[in-house]
Amino acid sequence: MSESTYFFILLFMGLMFVSPAFSQQISSHQINIVKEKKVEELFAELLGDTSKEDKIIPEGTKLLSYSLEDHHLILDFSEEIKNYGGTLREQWIVSQILSTGFSMPEVNYITVLIEGQKDYFPEGTIIDTYKKEDWLEERMKNEWKELTKENTG
């Protein structure tokens, strides 16, 4: 069982003192509970009230289960996540799921299941062990395109 130690850090006039006197031992089980709670909170906010007009996630979509092991987040959504049409909307939904999952520093891979199965979204996207580094690279490319479009147009 790995344990983490947290130290009390005191900053005084630009000097930093670290005191082991205030250390606290936290078990890996406690850390996993905190991570799981974070997953629940993030996706509860994403799914929120899906009946609102400004929500991209289809109404009635539920996160049925999830697991986070070895930096791999596996999300299992209800089939309502497929209740939409259009490539652009699918891109937005996928982007929101990946952005939400990868906002957690401990997540390096994401897999999305639909009703417990690896399945394609209506427009053909599948999220199977999607890498954080690929997502970051794609985001940087898109941001660069938007930046150059603004400066040239």
Side-chain angles (χ1 to χ4, degrees), residues 1-60:
M1 175 188 311
S2 71
E3 295 184 358
S4 298
T5 303
Y6 292 88
F7 295 100
F8 174 73
I9 299 174
L10 174 65
L11 291 173
F12 180 71
M13 296 179 63
L15 300 173
M16 182 172 71
F17 301 94
V18 178
S19 172
F22 294 100
S23 69
Q24 176 185 10
Q25 297 295 320
I26 298 179
S27 71
S28 60
H29 176 69
Q30 290 170 315
I31 291 171
N32 287 338
I33 290 172
V34 170
K35 289 178 186 177
E36 289 172 5
K37 187 72 172 163
K38 190 172 183 180
V39 171
E40 288 175 17
E41 289 173 0
L42 286 171
F43 282 93
E45 184 177 330
L46 175 66
L47 298 175
D49 184 0
T50 55
S51 65
K52 290 183 179 179
E53 288 182 24
D54 63 341
K55 285 289 191 174
I56 293 173
I57 303 293
E59 186 173 353

Side-chain angles (χ1 to χ4, degrees), residues 139-150:
R139 275 186 63 189
M140 287 175 54
K141 285 180 190 175
N142 291 337
E143 288 176 18
W144 180 252
K145 284 179 190 175
E146 288 299 316
L147 181 64
T148 55
K149 186 183 347 178
E150 288 175 10

Side-chain angles (χ1 to χ4, degrees), residues 15 21 45 50 57 65 78 97-98 113 119 124 129 137:
L15 300 173
E45 184 177 330
T50 55
I57 303 293
S65 66
S78 63
I97 292 169
L98 294 175
L113 305 176
D119 196 358
T129 317
E137 185 177 316

Side-chain angles (χ1 to χ4, degrees), residues 81-142:
I81 198 159
K82 294 167 70 172
N83 291 342
Y84 65 89
T87 304
L88 185 57
R89 184 148 182 216
E90 183 163 298
Q91 289 172 351
W92 288 340
I93 291 169
V94 168
S95 177
Q96 282 193 332
I97 292 169
L98 294 175
S99 294
T100 301
F102 287 138
S103 71
M104 297 173 45
E106 55 273 0
V107 175
N108 290 329
Y109 304 96
I110 295 177
T111 295
V112 171
L113 305 176
I114 301 172
E115 298 287 337
Q117 303 292 318
K118 289 183 183 176
D119 196 358
Y120 290 91
F121 285 81
E123 301 298 325
T125 303
I126 189 166
I127 303 173
D128 184 11
T129 317
Y130 197 91
K131 293 180 187 176
K132 186 181 224 173
E133 64 189 51
D134 292 344
W135 174 76
L136 289 170
E137 185 177 316
E138 190 64 31
R139 275 186 63 189
M140 287 175 54
K141 285 180 190 175
N142 291 337

